Amino acid sequence: MTGVHPLPPRAPGRLGGVALVLGGALSVQFGSALAALLFPRTGVAGAVTLRLTIGALVMLVVCRPRVRGYGRRDWAAVVAFGLALAGMNSIFYQAIERIPLGPAVTLEVLGPLALSVFGARRAAAWFWAALALGGVALLGQGGFDWLDPVGAALAPTAGAMWAAYIVCSARIGARFPGADGLALSLTVAALLTLPFGLADGGGRLADPVVLGLGTGLALLASVLPYSLELAALRRLPTATFAVMMSLGPAIAAVAGWLVLDQALHPVEVLAIGLVVAASAGAVRAAAPSTAPPPVPGPPDAEGVAAVSAAAAAPPARP
């Protein structure tokens, strides 16, 4: 069997999709704060390996994905998603080792913002994307000039991988049932990062305390958010999902303040308000206008249409 596998129509419920995105964002940013606490014990590459390997094992046990019946394009999508996951996590963790979590995510989110602008179909969507970009810029005002230059360069690079993650996740969701594609892609990402993690963390990765922290990191930063985002991309247009990723800097700033004692200043609070307003506006702008009911077609016609729409997502982002 080759090509795209027929799926049910795009799940209804835009507000449900928004809730899934918010839940995933909260989980991944607090997971990133936990990762920063793990770095001194394992090194950056060791933390990435723990996160992806444990996450992949959990997903394989829970999903038990089948590996037969898929074509070359399906497996190419799995490998591409795995590369995006490995690159996004590895590069971003190298960034937050050097600069605070809030500014790092502020720079990283430029990737999804660019994707939202390129994928916009209405003028209003461009306005909300610009407002979100203004909030991101305000969040970093007076702070980017003192950041470690390597960390400041790595963060937007991770953002480009994040844009690729968004596109690849939508395509995986169209080609594989449930979270099967995510489980397989996480396995690819874990295998890609494993040699670097073992070289960086060595025997420390087997320490019970480290394994406990790594399991928490895998659940908070990989299993839960990626599953929620995969479900959200079946409910929201890719461009809307990308703009909602602008909530990342706000949540990261709060997580950095609560977990890592990184200060949250009044100008950052104002920036958070702009980003939240932009995200809400983007969801409203993307709401479909009233249209006549669809003409009934063959049993799988709507599923194939939904898959085709997802596959047509703008190219490059986890």
Side-chain angles (χ1 to χ4, degrees):
M1 182 182 299
T2 60
V4 177
H5 296 261
L7 291 176
R10 182 178 293 271
R14 192 169 300 271
L15 289 179
V18 171
L20 291 169
V21 173
L22 291 176
L26 283 168
S27 183
V28 76
Q29 298 306 339
F30 277 90
S32 295
L34 177 60
L37 297 176
L38 192 59
F39 290 163
R41 296 175 180 264
T42 65
V44 177
V48 172
T49 290
L50 281 175
R51 168 182 172 174
L52 293 177
T53 302
I54 296 175
L57 290 173
V58 170
M59 292 297 294
L60 289 174
V61 170
V62 172
C63 298
R64 290 182 292 179
R66 64 182 180 90
V67 295
R68 296 183 178 181
Y70 296 110
R72 184 176 301 176
R73 291 186 179 181
D74 300 318
W75 288 111
V78 167
V79 172
F81 194 22
L83 286 169
L85 286 167
M88 178 180 67
N89 286 287
S90 299
I91 297 171
F92 179 67
Y93 277 15
Q94 291 287 345
I96 64 174
E97 185 190 30
R98 294 169 171 82
I99 60 178
L101 183 60
V105 180
T106 300
L107 289 169
E108 187 195 25
V109 83
L110 294 176
L113 275 173
L115 179 62
S116 72
V117 171
F118 293 137
R121 294 294 182 268
R122 300 184 182 184
W126 286 69
F127 168 77
W128 292 116
L131 183 62
L133 180 60
V136 168
L138 183 61
L139 190 60
Q141 184 177 352
F144 293 159
D145 56 343
W146 55 267
L147 295 178
D148 177 271
V150 176
L154 288 170
T157 304
M161 299 301 296
W162 194 357
Y165 161 87
I166 292 177
V167 174
C168 291
S169 183
R171 291 176 178 174
I172 282 291
R175 291 181 174 272
F176 292 83
D180 284 10
L182 173 60
L184 295 170
S185 299
L186 267 176
T187 302
V188 171
L191 292 174
L192 289 171
T193 60
L194 186 59
F196 303 99
L198 291 176
D200 195 18
R204 292 172 294 171
L205 299 181
D207 181 86
V209 175
V210 169
L211 284 175
L213 290 173
T215 300
L217 174 62
L219 294 175
L220 275 177
S222 291
V223 175
L224 182 58
Y226 294 160
S227 298
L228 293 176
E229 289 172 4
L230 184 68
L233 279 163
R234 290 180 170 132
R235 292 167 168 80
L236 297 173
T238 304
T240 304
F241 180 92
V243 173
M244 288 204 66
M245 291 295 97
S246 301
L247 291 171
I251 298 171
V254 174
W257 173 53
L258 291 175
V259 180
L260 303 175
D261 198 27
Q262 296 172 350
L264 188 64
H265 302 291
V267 68
E268 293 175 318
V269 175
L270 176 59
I272 288 171
L274 288 177
V275 173
V276 170
S279 296
V283 173
R284 184 176 180 84
S289 56
T290 304
V295 178
D300 288 329
E302 291 182 349
V304 173
V307 169
S308 299
R317 95 18 244 227

